[in-house]
């Protein structure tokens, strides 16, 4: 098979070389930009191309015809890697044969695609990619392809070879008399969601191709493709007896671009079917913050007073410095220490992801107020624990502030190191031990059996009180504003699995308690040594569980790796009571007249390795690998991979593979999900280090589920090697 793939790739590449040596004249035609296919991801209409979008390109789209409604999200995760998530509602079929359960919800297919660029386009070589469609789904659209694309003037030509769904016409290889799929195994593995490598590049294969034309009028482009599929084995045909006959092998399409933020698509496919689509797009690398910020203070040269002491500044002057450090430099409610040599500021940095900006502002303020100081020490804290320290030499800082040489920057005067105890007397300190917060929340899930989209919107109100620098009492209350979880009909999943219901009871917690206590816990946190941090906690730890736990983390200053261990003993909370817990493992579901089990006490926890690789082909990425025991007492490994773009937006995915079989786990076969974390400062007009996270789980199941802990030490210690608080690169 490997030899066959290499041969096919070489043939495609060589076949496109003759006479394709010209490039588009950018003065005659608008710049060519790749566009999306019906299935999501860069392509023609039904068929993919060898093209990759610019790194960071993010597309949300929909495609609609009589048989399928596709909803897609596509992201060019790396310059060479495209990823696509797709939900398809099959219009002619229902989700299940039980109307009392799924009603009129359409059959829903969940698919994940990826495409890897093998060759970049050059004068002679076409851009060439290999990809897999629906590699972890139920097999409705699964297929593989190799495609090569070459740009010639306003035209972009594509030739490719497809297998499976993409190659079902079998115009290259395959015996259609044996079956519509040329004996390709189309049964999905396990309970769906599993990757079946055995059928990759098997069954029918077909040549496909086409051309995309950029017209002189910039918004308009036209497409023609030769389809590699014959639609004889499509799900509506095999399961619903729907006629999807193909009157023509050619599909025709037009795309109208809506500025730089979207496009509309219209195509005529199979010689008998109109398809409409749209896409909304942005680029995560190009998002920029537009702030209304406090102006950068000007350095004011002052002559130190002879035989004067900094401690002789009045209390009002020190308090003014503390207030400006908070408002102008982002050091929230700082404590200030002083002696004859240094001024030390101890505080969390909550305003600037670019710490150089914070250091420059803080250094300027201190220099203006205390010109006698020889060194400025900025000790950054998180949860009142010292994380990192920046030492600024005052003489060198003055040269930077006065721009005494070319490209002077605050890093020239600063050194970041392991934090040390503050020196001198405590001059100013915050007496704010309380903290109150209010934030809107959205919880959502897609592709459910009862309704395609279920959600709840509410407000989370939290408060905390620090008894000392190590002990905090905190909690939060959720106020539900609106939800449609009343359509979530079951308490016992209908596939007969018998795991403890650690997550699939979510409806009871949301519907039965419109006002509920999410969290109420006592937390102890400390820095045990230069590179060691720990915490212990107890109480109501999250919406569904309470108990006790602890975590320890080893994270060297400035290192691209860390290691942590957490261990917890938890009991499942009773959704019918704000403060109660389940005491009986076996519960009864009156809807299905079936018993189900809950968690009445178990140990859960993981050992986790964090690693930010320094590899050129995986820039700005983070791996988190956790091994341990989950809430339903299954054991396994979770791998979390995330990519950070120039703007600070983080996109990530995780999978959790445990010792549960596909039959024990149920639909989906194993736990997996995706998320996007967006810095507040590119959504608001104020600089901020906070983030908003949007997560997506294909299914809510009970296997591979971790405890949702309030604090995670890797996030708390982020300043040691910034990931969540890394400055924007654009």
């Amino acid at each position: 098979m490997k030899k066959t793939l290499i041969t096919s790739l070489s043939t495609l590449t060589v076949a496109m070389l003759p006479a394709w040596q010209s490039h588009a004249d950018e003065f005659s035609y608008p710049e060519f930009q790749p566009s999306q296919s019906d299935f999501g991801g860069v392509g023609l209409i039904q068929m993919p191309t060898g093209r990759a979008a610019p790194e960071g390109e993010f597309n949300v789209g929909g495609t609609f015809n009589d048989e399928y409604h596709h909803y897609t999200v596509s992201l060019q995760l790396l310059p060479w890697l495209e990823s696509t998530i797709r939900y398809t509602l099959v219009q002619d079929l229902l989700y299940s044969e039980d109307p009392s359960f799924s009603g009129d919800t359409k059959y829903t297919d969940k698919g994940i695609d990826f495409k890897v660029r093998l060759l970049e386009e050059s004068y002679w070589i076409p851009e060439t990619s290999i990809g897999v469609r629906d590699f972890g789904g139920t097999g409705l659209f699964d297929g593989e392809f190799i495609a090569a694309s070459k740009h010639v003037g306003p035209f972009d030509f594509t030739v490719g070879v497809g297998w499976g769904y993409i190659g079902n016409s079998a115009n290259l290889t395959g015996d259609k008399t044996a079956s519509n799929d040329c004996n390709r195994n189309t049964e999905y593995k396990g309970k769906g969601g599993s990757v079946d490598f055995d059928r990759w590049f098997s069954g029918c294969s077909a040549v496909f191709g086409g051309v995309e034309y950029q017209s002189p009028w910039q918004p308009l482009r036209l497409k023609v493709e030769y389809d590699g599929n014959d639609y004889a084995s499509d799900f509506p045909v095999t399961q619903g007896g729907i006629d999807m006959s193909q009157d023509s092998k050619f599909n025709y399409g037009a795309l109208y671009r809506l500025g730089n933020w979207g496009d509309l698509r219209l195509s005529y496919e199979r010689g008998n079917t109109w398809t409409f689509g749209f896409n909304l797009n942005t680029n995560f690398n190009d998002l920029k913050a537009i702030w209304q910020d406090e102006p950068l203070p000007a350095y004011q040269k002052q002559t130190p007073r002879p035989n004067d002491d900094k401690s002789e500044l009045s209390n009002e002057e020190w308090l003014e410095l503390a207030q400006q450090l908070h408002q102008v430099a982002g050091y929230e409610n700082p404590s200030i220490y002083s002696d004859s040599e240094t001024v030390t500021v101890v505080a969390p940095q909550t305003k600037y992801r670019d710490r150089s900006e914070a250091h420059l502002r803080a250094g300027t303020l201190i220099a203006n107020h205390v010109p006698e100081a020889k060194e400025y020490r900025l000790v950054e804290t998180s949860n009142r624990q010292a994380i990192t320290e920046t030492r600024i030499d005052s003489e060198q800082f003055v040269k930077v502030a006065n721009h005494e040489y070319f490209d002077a920057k605050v890093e020239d005067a600063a050194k970041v190191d392991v934090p040390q105890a503050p020196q001198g007397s405590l001059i100013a300190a915050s007496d704010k031990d309380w903290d109150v917060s209010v934030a809107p929340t959205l919880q959502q899930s897609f592709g459910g059996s009862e309704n395609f989209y279920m959600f709840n919107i509410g407000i989370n109100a939290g408060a905390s009180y620090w008894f000392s620098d190590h002990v905090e009492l905190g909690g939060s209350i959720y106020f539900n504003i609106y939800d449609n979880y009343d359509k979530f009909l079951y308490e016992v999943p209908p596939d007969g699995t018998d795991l403890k219901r650690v997550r699939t009871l979510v409806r009871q917690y949301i519907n039965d308690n419109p006002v509920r206590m999410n969290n109420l816990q006592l937390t102890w946190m400390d820095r045990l040594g230069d590179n060691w941090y720990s915490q212990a906690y107890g109480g109501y730890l999250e919406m569904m569980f309470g108990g006790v736990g602890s975590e320890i983390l080893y994270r060297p200053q400035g290192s691209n790796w860390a290691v942590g261990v957490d261990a917890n003993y938890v009991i499942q909370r009773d959704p019918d009571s704000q403060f109660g817990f389940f005491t009986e493992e076996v519960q009864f579901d009156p809807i299905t007249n079936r018993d189900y089990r809950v968690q009445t006490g178990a140990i859960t926890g993981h050992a986790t390795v964090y690693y930010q690789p320094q590899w050129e082909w995986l820039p700005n990425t983070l791996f988190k690998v956790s091994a341990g025991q989950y809430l339903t007492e299954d054991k396994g490994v979770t791998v979390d991979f995330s990519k950070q773009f120039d703007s600070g937006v983080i996109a990530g995915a995780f999978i959790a593979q445990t010792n549960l079989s596909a039959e024990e786990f149920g639909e989906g076969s194993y736990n997996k999900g995706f998320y996007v974390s967006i810095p507040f400062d590119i959504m608001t007009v104020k600089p901020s280090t906070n983030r908003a996270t949007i997560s997506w789980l294909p299914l809510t199941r009970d296997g591979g589920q971790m405890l949702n802990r309030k604090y995670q030490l890797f996030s708390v210690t982020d300043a040691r090697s910034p990931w969540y608080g890394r400055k924007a690169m654009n």
Side-chain angles (χ1 to χ4, degrees):
M1 176 59 67
K2 183 176 180 181
K3 182 177 180 181
T4 302
L5 294 181
I6 295 174
T7 302
S8 299
L9 176 59
S10 301
T11 302
L12 285 173
T13 303
V14 173
M16 298 182 67
L17 295 181
W20 288 7
Q21 302 175 16
S22 61
H23 293 272
D25 182 356
E26 61 186 11
F27 298 102
S28 301
Y29 285 88
E31 181 183 0
F32 174 79
Q33 295 177 331
S35 60
Q36 300 282 297
S37 72
D38 288 355
F39 285 86
V42 174
L44 290 164
I45 303 172
Q46 287 277 307
M47 299 291 106
T49 67
R51 293 288 176 204
E55 182 185 20
E57 193 77 9
F58 179 74
N59 272 274
V60 177
T63 303
F64 311 96
N65 61 31
D66 290 341
E67 285 77 36
Y68 300 121
H69 289 182
H70 299 301
Y71 299 93
T72 61
V73 176
S74 183
L75 173 63
Q76 191 69 35
L77 194 63
L78 295 160
W80 51 270
L81 178 62
E82 174 191 87
S83 58
T84 300
I85 301 168
R86 179 180 52 261
Y87 278 103
T88 299
L89 302 184
V90 182
Q91 294 305 291
D92 301 303
L93 299 172
L94 297 178
Y95 196 99
S96 76
E97 298 179 358
D98 183 1
S100 65
F101 172 63
S102 60
D104 59 357
T105 301
K106 302 298 183 181
Y107 184 92
T108 305
D109 178 73
K110 312 166 187 70
I112 302 171
D113 309 345
F114 69 86
K115 179 163 66 175
V116 175
R117 186 178 64 192
L118 302 176
L119 298 172
E120 292 188 64
E121 184 175 14
S122 66
Y123 189 80
W124 291 102
I125 303 299
E127 187 167 0
T128 306
S129 298
I130 186 170
V132 177
R133 181 180 288 175
D134 202 8
F135 78 95
T138 56
L140 264 66
F141 305 110
D142 68 313
E144 303 78 43
F145 64 89
I146 301 172
S149 298
K150 194 74 177 69
H151 198 196
V152 182
F155 300 95
D156 193 52
F157 293 92
T158 292
V159 173
V161 174
W163 289 260
Y165 187 85
I166 303 172
N168 269 341
S169 67
N171 64 37
L172 186 61
T173 64
D175 182 8
K176 294 289 288 187
T177 62
S179 73
N180 282 330
D181 303 287
C182 305
N183 289 323
R184 178 185 172 103
N185 178 16
T186 58
E187 296 294 326
Y188 60 82
K189 189 176 181 180
K191 290 288 185 174
S194 295
V195 181
D196 190 353
F197 299 101
D198 293 338
R199 67 183 179 199
W200 284 14
F201 301 98
S202 67
C204 305
S205 67
V207 173
F208 63 86
V211 59
E212 184 168 357
Y213 169 68
Q214 171 63 65
S215 74
W217 184 37
Q218 184 172 4
L220 179 65
R221 63 179 66 183
L222 305 174
K223 300 181 180 184
V224 179
E225 73 175 7
Y226 180 78
D227 203 333
N229 186 18
D230 63 1
Y231 302 91
S233 60
D234 271 50
F235 202 64
V237 177
T238 60
Q239 299 297 315
I242 304 301
D243 182 13
M244 290 184 64
S245 57
Q246 189 179 47
D247 295 337
S248 173
K249 298 293 293 182
F250 288 92
N251 302 325
Y252 306 90
L255 180 147
Y256 181 82
R257 186 167 292 279
L258 305 170
N260 294 321
W261 55 269
D263 57 58
L264 300 175
R265 295 178 282 113
L266 182 65
S267 56
Y268 189 64
E269 304 174 14
R270 308 198 309 266
N272 52 34
T273 300
W274 287 99
T275 299
F276 169 77
F278 72 89
N279 284 93
L280 305 175
N281 65 276
T282 188
N283 192 294
F284 287 159
N285 276 327
D286 297 338
L287 297 176
K288 296 183 185 298
I290 301 175
W291 298 339
Q292 295 179 2
D293 194 12
E294 299 284 343
L296 176 69
Y299 171 68
Q300 301 170 3
K301 183 178 180 180
Q302 299 184 24
T303 303
R305 291 165 291 183
N307 301 319
D308 201 4
D309 190 277
K310 298 183 296 301
S311 62
E312 292 184 5
L313 270 71
S314 67
N315 289 336
E316 289 75 14
E317 290 174 312
W318 282 114
L319 291 175
E320 180 187 0
L321 174 59
Q323 184 178 15
Q324 290 185 2
L325 285 167
H326 182 156
Q327 295 178 346
V328 178
Y331 288 92
E332 184 176 1
N333 300 316
S335 297
I336 301 177
Y337 297 79
S338 175
D339 63 13
S340 61
E341 299 286 330
T342 65
V343 172
T344 302
V345 177
V346 180
Q349 170 52 243
T350 60
K351 191 175 183 181
Y352 296 105
R353 287 189 287 144
D354 184 354
R355 286 173 171 80
S356 295
E357 179 72 16
H359 297 162
L360 178 61
R361 288 169 173 259
T364 304
L365 291 170
I366 297 172
N368 289 344
H369 281 77
V370 195
E372 299 86 358
K374 295 182 179 180
E375 186 179 55
Y376 319 143
R377 297 176 56 195
L378 307 175
V379 179
E380 185 172 337
T381 65
S382 179
N383 286 24
R384 298 201 174 190
Q385 309 310 305
I387 306 301
T388 189
E389 178 177 330
T390 302
R391 293 175 177 249
I392 300 177
D393 179 84
S394 63
E395 291 185 5
Q396 181 63 34
F397 181 79
V398 169
K399 296 178 182 179
V400 172
N402 286 327
H403 302 282
E404 293 185 8
Y405 56 93
F406 178 72
D407 195 28
K409 51 186 181 295
V410 71
E411 291 93 327
D412 300 338
K415 178 184 178 182
V416 180
D417 208 343
V418 174
Q420 303 296 324
Q423 299 175 6
S425 303
L426 179 62
I427 304 298
S430 170
D431 58 358
K432 183 182 177 183
D433 294 320
W434 283 97
D435 185 47
V436 178
S437 63
V438 177
T441 63
L442 168 65
Q443 181 173 332
Q444 57 188 344
S445 61
F446 296 85
S449 51
E450 302 93 331
N451 201 47
F452 176 70
Y453 179 63
M454 289 190 288
F455 69 95
N456 64 284
I457 300 173
I459 295 175
N460 206 47
S464 63
Y465 180 79
W466 286 92
F467 293 98
S468 69
D469 285 344
H470 301 288
V471 180
E472 178 210 46
L473 177 65
S476 63
I477 296 176
Y478 176 79
F479 299 89
N480 197 41
I481 297 176
Y482 183 78
D483 69 82
N484 66 346
Y485 272 84
D486 57 324
K487 298 181 180 181
F488 194 80
L489 299 179
Y490 67 81
E491 294 177 5
V492 180
D495 55 9
T497 56
D498 191 38
L499 299 175
K500 293 180 179 179
R501 303 303 172 201
V502 297
R503 292 301 182 207
T504 52
L505 288 181
V506 61
R507 178 187 61 81
Q508 291 176 285
Y509 292 88
I510 292 175
N511 284 132
D512 296 348
N513 297 297
V515 178
R516 66 177 183 274
M517 180 184 65
N518 259 349
N519 168 271
L520 180 62
Q521 74 178 51
L522 188 68
T523 305
W524 170 86
M525 193 171 291
D526 199 4
R527 175 171 168 248
L528 302 180
D530 284 350
N531 301 314
W532 292 91
Y533 292 84
S534 65
Q535 66 166 328
Y537 41 86
Y540 298 91
L541 305 180
E542 54 144 286
M543 178 179 69
M544 299 179 71
F545 285 92
V548 296
S550 63
E551 181 187 12
I552 188 168
L553 178 76
Y554 178 74
R555 188 172 191 177
Q557 173 67 41
S559 176
N560 65 329
W561 63 274
V563 179
V565 177
D566 70 276
N568 314 273
Y569 180 80
V570 297
I571 304 174
Q572 195 162 352
R573 295 172 61 181
D574 185 349
D576 295 328
S577 168
Q578 288 285 3
F579 299 98
F581 294 88
F582 281 120
T583 57
E584 300 292 332
E585 179 178 308
V586 179
Q587 303 289 318
F588 178 72
D589 175 19
I591 297 178
T592 61
N593 294 319
R594 288 174 52 195
D595 291 333
Y596 62 95
R597 296 188 299 147
V598 295
Q599 185 58 270
T600 56
I603 293 175
T604 181
H606 293 79
T608 303
V609 176
Y610 308 85
Y611 181 60
Q612 299 180 46
Q614 307 298 301
W615 310 326
E616 183 179 352
W617 57 281
L618 276 181
N620 302 320
T621 55
L622 171 67
F623 283 95
K624 293 189 289 185
V625 182
S626 303
Q629 180 162 289
Y630 300 86
L631 289 172
T632 200
E633 298 175 62
D634 49 333
K635 301 175 179 63
V637 176
T638 296
V639 178
D640 186 307
F641 171 77
S642 55
K643 158 74 176 179
Q644 184 162 169
F645 298 94
D646 290 350
S647 63
V649 172
I650 295 172
F654 71 88
I655 60 170
Q657 188 71 57
T658 75
N659 58 349
L660 296 173
S661 67
E663 288 70 24
E664 291 172 313
F665 183 92
E667 185 180 357
S669 298
Y670 58 91
N671 195 28
K672 47 194 168 289
F674 307 86
Y675 57 88
V676 175
S677 176
I678 306 172
F680 270 12
D681 60 10
I682 63 174
M683 299 186 294
T684 64
V685 296
K686 292 291 185 180
S688 172
T689 58
N690 293 327
R691 287 178 165 272
T693 300
I694 302 171
S695 59
W696 172 76
L697 295 175
L699 288 168
T700 298
R701 302 302 310 208
D702 296 301
Q705 297 288 344
M706 290 184 173
L707 181 69
N708 295 325
R709 294 181 289 128
K710 181 179 181 180
Y711 297 123
Q712 300 203 27
L713 291 178
F714 185 76
S715 299
V716 171
T717 61
D718 184 66
R720 299 217 123 198
S721 180
W723 173 252
Y724 303 106
R726 180 181 295 180
K727 70 176 182 179
M729 303 300 292
N730 52 19

